[in-house]
Amino acid sequence: MSFIRNRSLKSSILRLFIPIMTLFVFITGLFSYLLASDQLQQNAFTSISDTVSQTQSFFNDKLTDVVTSLTILDSDSDLSDITTRTQNPEYQLHTDDYLLLNKALNRAFPDRGALIDSTLLYYNYDRPAFYRKDDLTVQVRISLEPYKLRQATDPTSVIHWLTLHTDPVAKSLNNNYNGKVVSLYKLLGKDVDNSKGIILFNIKDSFFKTILTTPTISNNGYLCLVSEDGLISYKKIADKYDIKDAELQAQILQSKQTSGQMTITNEYGKEMLVVYDTLRINRWKIAAVIPKEELLNKVSYIKYLSLAVMSVLFVIVILFSNVMANFITKPIIQLTRKINTIEEGHLDIEFKEYPNNEIGVLNRGMRDMLQRIKQLLVQVEDEQEKKRSAELAALQFQIRPHFLYNTLYSIKHLIEMDEKQEASQMVSALADFFRISISKGSEIIPVSQEIEHINHYFTIQQMRYGDSFTYSIKVDPELLDYKMVKLTLQPLVENAIYHGMKQIRRKGHIRIVGTIQGEDGVIRVEDNGAGMSAEQLVHINRALLEVMNKGEEAVGFGVCNVHKRLQLNYGMSYGLCYESSPETGTVAIVTFRKQ
């Protein structure tokens, strides 16, 4: 007993040790991963936010310089003098006026080459506009209407911005021109309706491209500028990380905050982090768009490292536990496998001898129980076989007096009518009929004998009923060697005569057809009698499915007897079924297994 208690104590300690060590490893790894991933996420978000903020500040400073230059030009005294003089329609610009215009532009843009692509100056209706690009000044004709319409949508702003587009003036001067610019302009005049001119600056596309593509965010992360007019972005990314410009623009502009972050799931199911800020100079938003899975690459690395460490620790704990538990748990595992084998139906199992402990007691108990189960199974099988044989014999015996009674009654009538020769022939046929019925005590006979038996029965019945019906028998020669339960066809033929032939005035015909279907034999007893209605057919077939429970009162003694004997001998999937329709006749179908 002391030995048993020691082993039980070791089992208890082992059961406690494994989950405690596992829980410790899990908690340690989890906290390490959570702390590291949280710190890395914060660092990543801070880095992105700093990049966006610095880019916003740089853009704001540079664009503020451009706005300042436009304001300087707008308030330039030389430009004001020229504007005043040209209000007279008869005044023609002189060389000095052009020099003054150039001086005004040079004062506004002392270093225009790095940022400004071109300028447009237009004043007083019906006069040419002055367009300057790459130190070349030309006179062009423009319409103020597009610019007025835009200002009408935002009358509170003095300076208006146009996102990246093709310069229409440069395009009109050179059809092959496809360059892009960002424009800002100011209409000259007290209000939109009284505007008499415009000052417009075009900023180089390369300026925005350099700033938006210089910071390296991630492999598929990028910076973009978002305005009401559209979105400016240059970096090519993988299709699976793409967000449609219209969707990204709408999501960012919907935010009422000047800065922040949001997550957008694109059509490929990828989560994209968007960190944005707002330019003070024109309220455009600068945004960084980064795939979350790339942003958290380092977090994933920590996760996988933590999982690897945890896995190693788990393996160490398991190996250590197995070494400790091997001599305790191995016998239990072996007994469990034996129980599983027993559940699968395999009872031939060998049991080893174990020491006198808990396992030994369980082992002996299972061995004794299995031996008892085997004995009980053999006993049950013997009892079931005896019961089946007895029931089959009883059913076989029941059908003999049933037919004998009807035949002797017919012979009695023949004798009373002084038909001695017919009575003698019927007695001979009856003797041959019962010779086959007895079959030396065998319940199973060849199909050929069953067919011979039914031929004698037809002889007896035609002597009773004269020429009121005919019959034919056609059986596959190979089927004749099959064996079947005897006295199967006679009750079916009897039903065909009594319930089919007697119900019609025309001459009846009974046809017996035997075929082989797969491994099964099928014999059809067909008549051209009155047939059954659909309701009767459904009733009799349903009753046959339940005949083992309900008995012959549902379908009649003969049919019930045949069906029960077939199922007892071949199984529940065999037996009788019927086909029938009114005025066309009835078919009884016998299905039995090859033996």
Side-chain angles (χ1 to χ4, degrees), residues 169-192:
V169 178
K171 186 70 174 179
S172 66
L173 297 174
N174 180 6
N175 288 331
N176 295 325
Y177 176 79
N178 291 312
K180 301 288 185 179
V181 293
V182 171
S183 302
L184 69 157
Y185 68 89
K186 177 184 179 183
L187 290 175
L188 302 176
K190 295 180 179 180
D191 51 46
V192 175

Side-chain angles (χ1 to χ4, degrees), residues 21 23 76 151 284 327 361 470 566 593:
M21 289 298 296
L23 182 62
D76 189 274
Q151 182 159 342
W284 286 8
F327 70 99
V361 173
T470 59
L566 287 171
R593 187 177 64 249

Side-chain angles (χ1 to χ4, degrees), residues 262-448:
M262 64 179 68
T263 299
I264 300 176
T265 302
N266 68 7
E267 60 182 327
Y268 301 99
K270 298 294 184 181
E271 289 189 340
M272 307 293 288
L273 176 68
V274 179
V275 180
Y276 62 92
D277 203 347
T278 304
L279 303 182
R280 295 187 299 278
I281 191 65
N282 58 4
R283 310 306 298 170
W284 286 8
K285 293 186 183 293
I286 175 74
V289 183
I290 318 100
K292 272 195 171 181
E293 60 186 41
E294 288 188 358
L295 183 65
L296 303 178
N297 275 342
K298 292 184 179 179
V299 176
S300 298
Y301 171 76
I302 295 296
K303 177 177 69 175
Y304 294 136
L305 180 61
S306 299
L307 289 175
V309 172
M310 291 170 63
S311 300
V312 171
L313 291 176
F314 274 131
V315 170
I316 293 173
V317 170
I318 291 171
L319 291 175
F320 181 68
S321 302
N322 283 337
V323 171
M324 292 183 60
N326 187 50
F327 70 99
I328 299 175
T329 58
K330 188 175 180 180
I332 298 176
I333 293 173
Q334 292 176 346
L335 287 178
T336 303
R337 290 173 179 170
K338 291 178 180 178
I339 292 174
N340 291 334
T341 304
I342 294 172
E343 288 181 350
E344 294 172 358
H346 304 292
L347 303 181
D348 296 327
I349 301 174
E350 294 183 2
F351 287 87
K352 298 179 180 179
E353 290 294 333
Y354 287 97
N356 189 22
N357 53 25
E358 305 104 309
I359 304 301
V361 173
L362 289 173
N363 184 70
R364 287 190 295 273
M366 286 178 58
R367 181 186 60 196
D368 296 342
M369 178 185 68
L370 194 59
Q371 290 177 353
R372 179 59 178 161
I373 289 173
K374 288 180 180 179
Q375 294 173 357
L376 291 174
L377 286 175
V378 172
Q379 182 179 342
V380 169
E381 288 177 359
D382 291 342
E383 292 177 354
Q384 289 295 325
E385 181 62 26
K386 290 177 181 177
K387 180 181 178 182
R388 190 190 71 83
S389 299
E391 186 173 357
L392 185 61
L395 288 170
Q396 196 80 2
F397 179 78
Q398 286 174 357
I399 202 166
R400 292 169 183 162
H402 181 72
F403 169 69
L404 179 61
Y405 167 78
N406 290 333
T407 306
L408 291 177
Y409 188 76
S410 297
I411 294 172
K412 172 179 175 294
H413 276 284
L414 289 173
I415 293 173
E416 288 176 350
M417 292 186 296
D418 201 25
E419 299 288 345
K420 296 180 181 178
Q421 184 176 355
E422 288 79 358
S424 175
Q425 290 177 357
M426 186 175 287
V427 170
S428 297
L430 181 64
D432 291 335
F433 178 85
F434 275 101
R435 174 181 55 79
I436 297 174
S437 299
I438 294 171
S439 302
K440 299 180 181 180
S442 175
E443 303 296 337
I444 306 298
I445 62 174
V447 173
S448 58

Side-chain angles (χ1 to χ4, degrees), residues 43-298:
N43 292 344
F45 291 144
T46 301
S47 176
I48 298 299
S49 298
D50 289 345
T51 299
V52 171
S53 178
Q54 291 171 11
T55 305
Q56 177 273 138
S57 180
F58 185 79
F59 265 129
N60 200 74
D61 292 342
K62 289 295 184 181
L63 297 181
T64 299
D65 291 341
V66 178
V67 172
T68 301
S69 298
L70 189 148
T71 305
I72 293 172
L73 184 59
D74 180 40
S75 60
D76 189 274
S77 59
D78 291 333
L79 180 61
S80 298
D81 291 341
I82 294 173
T83 303
T84 302
R85 288 196 297 272
T86 55
Q87 288 179 356
N88 182 1
E90 297 179 357
Y91 180 80
Q92 299 295 323
L93 291 174
H94 301 289
T95 304
D96 292 341
D97 295 325
Y98 289 112
L99 292 174
L100 290 175
L101 284 174
N102 281 327
K103 288 180 180 180
L105 290 172
N106 289 332
R107 284 194 295 271
F109 298 102
D111 187 21
R112 62 182 179 276
L115 189 60
I116 299 301
D117 177 81
S118 57
T119 60
L120 177 68
L121 180 60
Y122 172 63
Y123 50 91
N124 293 332
Y125 289 118
D126 300 327
R127 289 184 179 273
F130 291 93
Y131 179 75
R132 181 173 180 177
K133 180 177 175 67
D134 299 331
D135 294 326
L136 177 64
T137 302
V138 296
Q139 291 187 354
V140 295
R141 293 283 181 177
I142 67 167
S143 172
L144 287 181
E145 294 306 317
Y147 303 101
K148 286 183 177 182
L149 289 174
R150 180 171 180 82
Q151 182 159 342
T153 62
D154 186 13
T156 60
S157 297
V158 176
I159 296 177
H160 297 273
W161 296 79
L162 296 176
T163 192
L164 200 63
H165 64 285
T166 300
D167 182 5
V169 178
K171 186 70 174 179
S172 66
L173 297 174
N174 180 6
N175 288 331
N176 295 325
Y177 176 79
N178 291 312
K180 301 288 185 179
V181 293
V182 171
S183 302
L184 69 157
Y185 68 89
K186 177 184 179 183
L187 290 175
L188 302 176
K190 295 180 179 180
D191 51 46
V192 175
D193 295 332
N194 297 312
S195 296
K196 59 183 179 179
I198 187 173
I199 300 175
L200 181 142
F201 294 163
N202 289 321
I203 305 174
K204 292 181 177 179
D205 174 39
S206 58
F207 165 72
F208 294 93
K209 185 174 184 179
T210 300
I211 297 175
L212 293 178
T213 57
T214 298
T216 302
I217 299 176
S218 70
N219 292 336
N220 289 283
Y222 60 94
L223 287 172
C224 62
L225 269 175
V226 182
S227 68
E228 295 287 347
D229 293 335
L231 184 144
I232 304 174
S233 175
Y234 296 94
K235 186 172 182 178
K236 298 294 183 182
I237 62 172
D239 290 341
K240 64 180 179 179
Y241 298 117
D242 184 51
I243 304 177
K244 296 185 183 302
D245 288 353
E247 179 184 358
L248 181 59
Q249 178 187 11
Q251 291 274 10
I252 294 176
L253 293 180
Q254 281 176 3
S255 174
K256 299 188 181 299
Q257 298 179 345
T258 58
S259 62
Q261 65 184 43
M262 64 179 68
T263 299
I264 300 176
T265 302
N266 68 7
E267 60 182 327
Y268 301 99
K270 298 294 184 181
E271 289 189 340
M272 307 293 288
L273 176 68
V274 179
V275 180
Y276 62 92
D277 203 347
T278 304
L279 303 182
R280 295 187 299 278
I281 191 65
N282 58 4
R283 310 306 298 170
W284 286 8
K285 293 186 183 293
I286 175 74
V289 183
I290 318 100
K292 272 195 171 181
E293 60 186 41
E294 288 188 358
L295 183 65
L296 303 178
N297 275 342
K298 292 184 179 179

